[in-house]
Amino acid sequence: MRHTIVMTGASRGIGRAAAERILRRSPDTHLLVVARGASGARTAAELAAGGHAVSHVPADLGSLDSVRAAATAIRDRLDHGGLPPLRGFVGNAGVQYTDALTEGPDGFESTFTVNVLANHLFVRLLQDRFAPPARIVITTSDTHFGDLRHNLGMVPGPAWKAPDVLARVGAFPGPHTAAAGRTAYSTSKLAVIHLVHEYARRLPAGIGAVAHNPGFVPSTGLAREAGRVSRFAMRYVLPVVTLTPLATGRGAAGRHLADVVLGATPAPTGSYVDRDRVARSSEESYDPRREG
Ligand SMILES: NC(=O)c1ccc[n+]([C@@H]2O[C@H](COP(=O)([O-])OP(=O)(O)OC[C@H]3O[C@@H](n4cnc5c(N)ncnc54)[C@H](OP(=O)(O)O)[C@@H]3O)[C@@H](O)[C@H]2O)c1
């Protein structure tokens, strides 16, 4: 049956590979790409090649007004017959900054805004438009574990604080440093696992929520805000790591994400999918006092 999947972060990287596979594997899908600037129209046109149903809504996920406007436009299109029933939301967009001082127009720190608040706002504003069975998938990261085995020593572990502190600039020591920017990143990825747990408790039956960890995927655009050395490593050195079990190629990561979105990877609501199977996320991610 024809249905709509709303997706952020489909313009490049893991999300682009996932979007292509979703459309190939599920021809009944209308993929609604949410992207900033001109990239929405371009991405939709490229993905539509071959006759796939793809459209776009503009949004800069670093601005909550922009997210609200996008969600309103999606609701209008769903309500007025412009889109088939909503069966999925994929919150895959993500950023990592070189400090913890980047502030968006709402006065919130930008990592937390894009990686956490934008997803939450979409889920809340689209909640009553999902047509069960529906699935929400939010992209998390190995970095939420904070141990050497999962982050290869590249990203500091999360440093949990009250969400209203995490949402503001300067939440971590030495906020002008790259370490603070990366701590903001790993903490934001822990926060989305908490969100998924809470969605599993609160959303009506038939609307599932899953956190997906793509693993370490070198050669995407994620480190483009990083310094020259990190960018060089990410672009030229780390792709070699793709040949080892430590890393996942972009195509495989996209396939894994698509399989979670389409339900081809079985995953109960509230679960954490590590690449292609349900697993346990970090011990601290199961602290219910942080949720609710
Ligand atoms: N690569 C890895 O090793 C790795 C590991 C674990 C988790 N992840 C997660 O996987 C997801 C995809 O990352 P990637 O590695 O594929 O990186 P990427 O190539 O940089 O893709 C990031 C995506 O997010 C979008 N985005 C970022 N900020 C946005 C904003 N303000 N408004 C609208 N869209 C925005 C980008 O759109 P533009 O094209 O407009 O920039 C792009 O589509 C992220 O959530 C990331 O945290 C990646």
Side-chain angles (χ1 to χ4, degrees):
M1 197 184 128
R2 293 194 66 228
H3 60 269
T4 299
I5 295 177
V6 173
M7 179 169 186
T8 70
S11 62
R12 58 166 108 193
I14 300 163
R16 177 57 178 264
E20 288 167 6
R21 181 167 170 100
I22 289 168
L23 291 165
R24 260 196 329 272
R25 294 295 300 265
S26 175
D28 287 344
T29 297
H30 181 114
L31 191 70
L32 182 49
V33 169
V34 179
R36 58 183 158 180
S39 84
R42 192 187 59 240
T43 304
E46 289 169 5
L47 288 170
H52 299 299
V54 187
S55 59
H56 77 281
V57 167
D60 181 340
L61 306 178
S63 155
L64 297 184
D65 279 346
S66 184
V67 173
R68 267 185 218 103
T72 303
I74 296 166
R75 289 168 64 102
D76 285 350
R77 286 180 59 186
L78 286 164
D79 292 352
H80 296 110
L83 289 172
L86 180 62
R87 294 255 193 272
F89 171 76
V90 188
N92 174 68
V95 280
Q96 194 178 125
Y97 288 95
T98 47
D99 61 40
L101 292 171
T102 310
E103 192 176 59
D106 311 278
F108 296 123
E109 194 276 322
S110 294
T111 320
F112 199 78
T113 307
V114 174
N115 296 4
V116 185
L117 296 177
N119 287 319
H120 187 52
L121 203 49
F122 269 121
V123 169
R124 296 287 291 151
L125 295 175
L126 295 177
Q127 182 178 330
D128 57 1
R129 295 302 194 276
F130 284 108
R135 182 173 265 197
I136 294 160
V137 181
I138 315 271
T139 301
T140 180
S141 161
D142 265 329
T143 60
H144 89 274
F145 278 95
D147 58 9
L148 193 63
R149 185 163 81 81
H150 289 92
N151 67 14
L152 310 174
M154 293 190 294
V155 178
W160 188 259
K161 296 176 174 24
D164 56 329
V165 176
L166 295 177
R168 299 288 176 184
V169 295
F172 307 102
H176 56 284
T177 62
R182 290 177 188 155
T183 305
Y185 177 80
S186 59
T187 307
S188 74
K189 294 300 182 179
L190 173 60
V192 299
I193 298 176
H194 287 305
L195 274 187
V196 161
H197 292 164
E198 194 55 18
Y199 295 152
R201 286 187 201 104
R202 290 193 183 205
L203 291 175
I207 308 175
V210 176
H212 180 249
N213 167 37
F216 175 50
V217 189
S219 77
T220 69
L222 191 63
R224 64 187 174 280
E225 309 281 346
R228 274 177 43 219
V229 174
S230 304
R231 277 206 311 271
F232 180 84
M234 203 63 182
R235 186 131 183 234
Y236 297 109
V237 182
L238 295 175
V240 177
V241 181
T242 308
L243 304 172
T244 78
L246 290 176
T248 307
R250 195 183 70 93
R255 188 173 75 240
H256 294 157
L257 174 58
D259 287 352
V260 178
V261 172
L262 296 176
T265 299
T269 188
S271 63
Y272 171 85
V273 175
D274 179 19
R275 288 163 285 189
D276 59 355
R277 68 200 59 174
V278 171
R280 268 187 82 73
S281 49
S282 68
E283 281 317 308
E284 75 168 310
S285 73
Y286 294 99
D287 183 347
R289 290 167 304 179
R290 296 177 181 177
E291 299 163 3

